[in-house]
């Protein structure tokens, strides 16, 4: 992992960065917050430049278009997910470890509302056919369903799914649950505990306790 990737996962740029890389990381961080608060369409390049203390020309030097900045923000979110989700390297082989990692990721997101807001706002906007983030979210959901289906198939092969569970629809059902919990939590963070709700639902479909 490069220093740049490590810094992006933490949302900050180390002081020993070259100045250009440090400024680029700061711009991505500011855009991360702005897109999560007001959406992609409502965040102007002028506002984004002001938020990170550079001129519009300075912003365009690093990101010639708003689309290129959006791409960098989405890539950062992917790196953050990877940092917290695939820590052990076993989640892509063991169904129980996959769902344990999922609970950890949801708990991490609950402690970082900007991440949840970014996903909720942009994924909703991206349902528009002409939105630049639409291909990203289409691919992301396809990948998420595929990864979760592999975990479900592993649990099914090991006889760990409860008898009433339909393995063919479970991945889409659980992803819908997680996305819905995120919206409810953004609206009522004092009453919705996302990892607790997820664990409770997993107990109804998996015959053993998720670690």
């Amino acid at each position: 992992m490069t220093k740049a990737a490590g810094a992006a996962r933490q949302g900050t740029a180390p002081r020993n960065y070259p100045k250009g890389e440090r400024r680029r990381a700061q711009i991505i961080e500011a855009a991360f917050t702005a897109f999560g608060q007001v959406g992609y369409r409502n965040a102007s390049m002028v506002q984004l430049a002001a938020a990170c203390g550079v001129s519009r020309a300075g912003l365009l030097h690093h990101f010639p278009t708003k689309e290129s900045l959006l791409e960098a923000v989405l890539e950062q979110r992917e790196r953050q997910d990877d940092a917290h989700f695939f820590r052990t390297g076993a989640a892509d082989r063991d169904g129980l470890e996959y769902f344990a990692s999922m609970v950890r990721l949801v708990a991490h997101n609950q402690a970082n509302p900007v991440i949840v807001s970014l996903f909720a706002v942009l994924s909703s906007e991206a349902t528009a056919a002409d939105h630049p983030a639409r291909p990203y979210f289409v691919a992301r959901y396809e990948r998420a369903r595929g990864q979760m289906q592999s975990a479900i198939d592993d649990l099914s092969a090991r006889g760990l799914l409860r008898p009433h569970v339909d393995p063919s629809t479970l991945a889409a059902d659980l992803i819908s649950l997680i996305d819905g919990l995120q919206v409810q939590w953004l609206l009522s963070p004092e009453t919705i505990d996302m990892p607790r709700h997820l664990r409770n639902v997993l107990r109804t479909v998996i015959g053993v306790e998720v670690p």
Side-chain angles (χ1 to χ4, degrees), residues 24-198:
R24 189 177 189 277
Q26 290 168 347
I27 292 170
I28 292 173
E29 183 177 1
F32 196 106
T33 301
F35 290 155
Q37 290 176 339
V38 303
Y40 170 81
R41 297 194 187 279
N42 291 328
S44 72
M45 293 295 270
V46 172
Q47 292 170 328
L48 291 168
C52 55
V54 299
S55 65
R56 188 173 187 275
L59 177 60
L60 294 176
H61 171 74
H62 294 282
F63 300 98
T65 64
K66 192 162 71 161
E67 289 84 357
S68 65
L69 179 55
L70 175 63
E71 181 180 353
V73 168
L74 293 174
E75 287 175 352
Q76 175 172 320
R77 191 188 191 282
E78 286 291 302
R79 286 194 295 268
Q80 290 176 331
D81 279 2
D82 288 345
H84 292 88
F85 189 79
F86 295 109
R87 290 182 302 180
T88 67
D92 57 344
R93 301 186 301 272
D94 186 303
L96 286 178
E97 176 57 31
Y98 174 93
F99 283 108
S101 296
M102 179 64 74
V103 173
R104 288 195 296 267
L105 177 62
V106 169
H108 166 74
N109 287 347
Q110 183 163 284
N112 294 272
V114 172
I115 294 176
V116 181
S117 180
L118 175 76
F119 183 86
V121 172
L122 289 183
S123 61
S124 177
E125 281 191 345
T127 59
D130 62 342
H131 196 283
R134 184 182 178 93
Y136 166 85
F137 280 101
V138 169
R140 190 179 193 279
Y141 273 110
E142 289 178 353
R143 184 170 63 253
R145 286 192 298 270
Q147 291 171 341
M148 189 174 288
Q149 189 62 53
S150 294
I152 291 167
D153 290 344
D154 173 69
L155 295 176
S156 179
R158 293 158 63 186
L160 297 180
L161 292 181
R162 295 193 183 277
H164 69 279
V165 173
D166 181 355
S168 67
T169 63
L170 185 56
D173 291 343
L174 290 175
I175 291 171
S176 297
L177 167 73
I178 293 168
D179 285 359
L181 284 173
Q182 289 188 148
V183 174
Q184 292 185 66
W185 177 74
L186 287 170
L187 294 171
S188 302
E190 69 284 351
T191 59
I192 300 296
D193 185 330
M194 292 193 291
R196 181 172 65 85
H197 282 286
L198 178 57

